[in-house]
């Protein structure tokens, strides 16, 4: 495994021992609804993830196996999304996560996060190669189906609501409402999913950022003020781990671009 780019911020506030991690677990996992792992090796892998040690978390999760695969998938996907500089490497990392998560879902079909990380990785991969191209390859229905399965298995999975909302918004934005309909994309469904995600995880910076992006994609300039307010709220969030810090920094960057 080539050396990954290091988390660029101070991670002291995001470093948890097992007891502190257990105490913070519900708050840290409101988004993905992952249950507290019984295996100490998996707990240690999650501690690495939350501290921004994404490569070490991936390696530790893979070594632990079982529930550790979920840590590995999340760590690799988040790293690829935010920190990998090479577009080629980024796409390869996403594909690897998608394949691993798909195998995990086949082995454990009731594991909501196996379905979710397959969808997340394929969704980000699709954005990388262009949404239109991904739809032509049939990836859209695969992403949508996996996210719907995630929500069916875990109705409180806020992140899956965000991702499914983004699916509806992105497809309509890229191919239009009419063609979007053939892919099962619908504007009002997308907006409803974003709102539900924020209801499930009201302090989530990424939910606010994605909802803002979705509003602009689906409603255009008339929703710009509402979107800017969401970016500002996201930028003001108090991150509790490395991933949330990256989300907050992204929100700040969006605000500067406005």
């Amino acid at each position: 495994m080539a050396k990954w780019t290091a988390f660029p911020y101070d991670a002291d506030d995001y470093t948890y021992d097992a007891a502190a991690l257990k105490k913070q677990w519900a708050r840290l996992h409101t988004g993905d609804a992952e249950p507290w792992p019984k295996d100490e090796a998996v707990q240690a892998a999650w501690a690495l993830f939350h501290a921004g040690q994404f490569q070490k978390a991936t390696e530790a999760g893979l070594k632990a196996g079982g529930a550790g695969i979920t840590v590995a998938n999340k760590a690799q996907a988040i790293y690829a999304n935010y920190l990998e500089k090479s577009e080629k490497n980024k796409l390869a990392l996403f594909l690897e996560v998608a394949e691993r998560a798909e195998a995990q879902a086949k082995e454990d079909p009731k594991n909501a996060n196996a379905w979710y990380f397959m969808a997340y990785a394929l969704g980000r991969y699709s954005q990388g190669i262009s949404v239109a191209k991904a739809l032509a390859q049939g990836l859209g229905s695969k992403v949508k189906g996996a996210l719907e399965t995630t929500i069916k298995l875990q109705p409180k999975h806020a992140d899956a609501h965000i991702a499914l909302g983004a699916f509806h918004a992105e497809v309509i934005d890229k191919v239009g409402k009419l063609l979007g309909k053939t892919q099962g994309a619908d504007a009002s469904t997308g907006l409803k999913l974003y709102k539900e995600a924020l209801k499930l995880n009201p302090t989530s910076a990424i939910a606010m950022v994605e909802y803002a992006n979705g509003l602009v994609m689906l409603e255009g300039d008339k929703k710009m003020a509402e979107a800017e307010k969401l970016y500002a709220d996201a930028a003001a969030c108090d991150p509790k781990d490395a991933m949330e810090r990256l989300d907050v920094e992204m929100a700040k960057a969006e605000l500067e671009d406005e």
Side-chain angles (χ1 to χ4, degrees), residues 31-247:
D32 65 14
E34 178 71 5
W36 170 252
K38 294 180 178 71
D39 185 341
E40 284 179 13
V42 179
Q43 293 167 20
W46 275 116
L48 288 165
F49 168 80
H50 292 300
Q53 301 268 354
F54 298 124
Q55 186 164 19
K56 285 184 178 173
T58 302
E59 289 164 354
L62 291 174
K63 193 177 172 191
I69 302 297
T70 303
V71 195
N73 288 343
K74 185 165 190 174
Q76 186 167 321
I78 294 303
Y79 167 78
N81 192 48
Y82 290 100
L83 297 174
E84 177 52 55
K85 291 174 174 69
S86 155
E87 194 60 29
K88 188 182 164 202
N89 290 349
K90 184 184 286 199
L91 293 178
L93 288 166
F94 282 138
L95 273 186
E96 198 174 80
V97 171
E99 284 163 13
R100 210 159 52 211
E102 189 165 13
Q104 189 188 21
K106 275 184 184 147
E107 201 175 299
D108 183 8
K110 289 193 173 162
N111 184 331
N113 276 324
W115 293 99
Y116 173 70
F117 286 111
M118 176 171 78
Y120 180 93
L122 280 179
R124 293 299 189 197
Y125 174 80
S126 298
Q127 288 171 329
I129 64 167
S130 99
V131 170
K133 198 184 277 186
L135 293 175
Q137 290 177 20
L139 293 179
S141 55
K142 201 168 181 180
V143 169
K144 183 171 181 276
L147 289 170
E148 286 169 349
T149 301
T150 306
I151 292 169
K152 197 191 261 180
L153 290 168
Q154 177 46 271
K156 290 186 174 174
H157 201 299
D159 292 350
H161 283 80
I162 298 168
L164 191 51
F167 165 84
H168 287 278
E170 289 253 358
V171 170
I172 289 167
D173 181 54
K174 299 298 183 290
V175 302
K177 282 188 178 175
L178 211 60
L179 266 178
K181 201 172 270 190
T182 66
Q183 297 287 336
D186 172 74
S188 61
T189 304
L191 292 171
K192 197 171 136 194
L193 284 156
Y194 285 126
K195 284 176 188 163
E196 185 61 27
L198 267 174
K199 203 187 286 179
L200 289 166
N201 195 6
T203 61
S204 168
I206 193 62
M208 295 171 203
V209 168
E210 292 285 2
Y211 184 26
N213 293 344
L215 279 174
V216 175
M217 281 189 270
L218 292 169
E219 306 273 352
D221 288 349
K222 63 180 179 181
K223 290 290 181 179
M224 197 53 84
E226 197 176 329
E228 281 172 4
K229 167 85 168 65
L230 283 161
Y231 290 136
D233 288 349
C237 284
D238 176 26
K240 296 295 181 202
D241 77 350
M243 181 187 76
E244 291 183 8
R245 176 67 186 273
L246 291 167
D247 292 337

Side-chain angles (χ1 to χ4, degrees), residues 9 209 231 235 246-258:
Y9 307 102
V209 168
Y231 290 136
L246 291 167
D247 292 337
V248 167
E249 294 300 329
M250 182 172 66
K252 288 177 183 172
E254 290 282 1
L255 266 181
E256 282 168 20
D257 286 346
E258 291 305 320

